[in-house]
Amino acid sequence: MIRILPSISLLALMAAFLAVPAEAQQRQAARTATGNNGSGTAFEIGKAGAWGIFTSGEGRQKNCFIMAQPAERLPKGLARDPAHVFITMRKGEANKMEFSMLTGYPLKTGTDAQLTVGSATFAGVGQNKTVWLKNPAEENRFIGELRKAGNLSVKGTSQRGNDTTDRYTLTGFGQALERAQQECS
C-alpha cells in the first residue's frame, strides 16, 4: 500500500510528536525528510524489517530515503521527543547517500554525537535536534558498516546535560537501501 504524506515544517513536526502513536510518528518524520525539496508529498513505498522506504518529488527532483526509529532508548523514562535515522539519496545520485538523524532533543552546544556500528565508531556533528556525520567523506564507509552490522548505537548529550543512547536495529537495512537506490537510479 502506498501512503501519501503532505509536507510539514520541522517545528510543526516536533510539536506534533507529543502523544502520537509510533506509526504516525514515522509518517511525520518522513514529512520532515522531504520538507525542503518543494515536492510537498512523500510516499511510503514499502518496508523491510525495521526500515520504512519513501520517495518524494518527481524527475530530477526525486528523493528517496529509508528511515527507522530506535529499538531502545536510554536512559529509560527520560522525557524526549521521538528519534529517527535517515539515509537519503537523490535521483541520479543513487550512489551518493547521506546519513542524518533527528535526536528528539536539543543537543548540548559544542558536543559531538558518537555513532557506533559493529566495531566501527564515527563522529557525528549536531545542530539543535539533528545529527550528521562530522566527516562527510566517511559516508560510504559508514553505509558499508551499516550493511554488515546488526545494530547502530548513537550517543549524545542533551542541552540539559543528560547522556543518551539510542539503539537502532539494522534488520532489513540492506533490502530497504537497495529498494531506495532502485527508485532513485
Side-chain angles (χ1 to χ4, degrees):
M1 171 178 12
I2 294 178
R3 295 185 188 139
I4 300 173
L5 307 171
S7 181
I8 189 169
S9 74
L10 181 58
L11 291 177
L13 168 70
M14 298 319 282
F17 268 137
L18 299 175
V20 178
E23 187 174 311
Q25 292 171 3
Q26 189 172 24
R27 287 192 303 266
Q28 289 172 338
R31 292 181 199 133
T32 295
T34 61
N36 294 329
N37 72 359
S39 72
T41 305
F43 298 93
E44 183 175 7
I45 60 170
K47 210 164 171 51
W51 293 80
I53 309 158
F54 297 83
T55 64
S56 69
E58 296 179 5
R60 298 178 67 98
Q61 299 300 313
K62 187 174 185 179
N63 291 318
C64 302
F65 60 97
I66 62 174
M67 173 178 63
Q69 292 181 287
E72 181 180 35
R73 300 186 87 189
L74 300 172
K76 293 183 187 274
L78 185 64
R80 53 189 172 135
D81 292 335
H84 294 83
V85 294
F86 302 87
I87 304 295
T88 306
M89 61 210 74
R90 289 157 190 80
K91 180 78 173 174
E93 297 179 26
N95 292 323
K96 184 174 188 233
M97 295 170 257
E98 179 180 284
F99 164 84
S100 61
M101 174 187 179
L102 293 176
T103 59
Y105 60 88
L107 293 161
K108 185 175 182 179
T109 304
T111 63
D112 291 335
Q114 179 181 330
L115 296 89
T116 304
V117 185
S119 62
T121 301
F122 298 83
V125 62
Q127 180 178 3
N128 195 13
K129 295 182 179 183
T130 307
V131 171
W132 300 270
L133 283 181
K134 189 170 190 173
N135 181 357
E138 292 185 321
E139 294 279 359
N140 287 337
R141 189 175 135 238
F142 179 73
I143 302 291
E145 292 294 330
L146 290 173
R147 286 180 186 265
K148 296 186 290 188
N151 59 58
L152 163 66
S153 176
V154 181
K155 294 182 179 185
T157 303
S158 74
Q159 280 183 349
R160 295 182 178 171
N162 296 310
D163 291 328
T164 64
T165 302
D166 288 344
R167 292 192 178 103
Y168 295 84
T169 179
L170 296 174
T171 303
F173 176 83
Q175 292 170 304
L177 191 62
E178 285 176 26
R179 173 82 189 275
Q181 286 179 296
Q182 289 169 357
E183 289 291 326
C184 265
S185 61

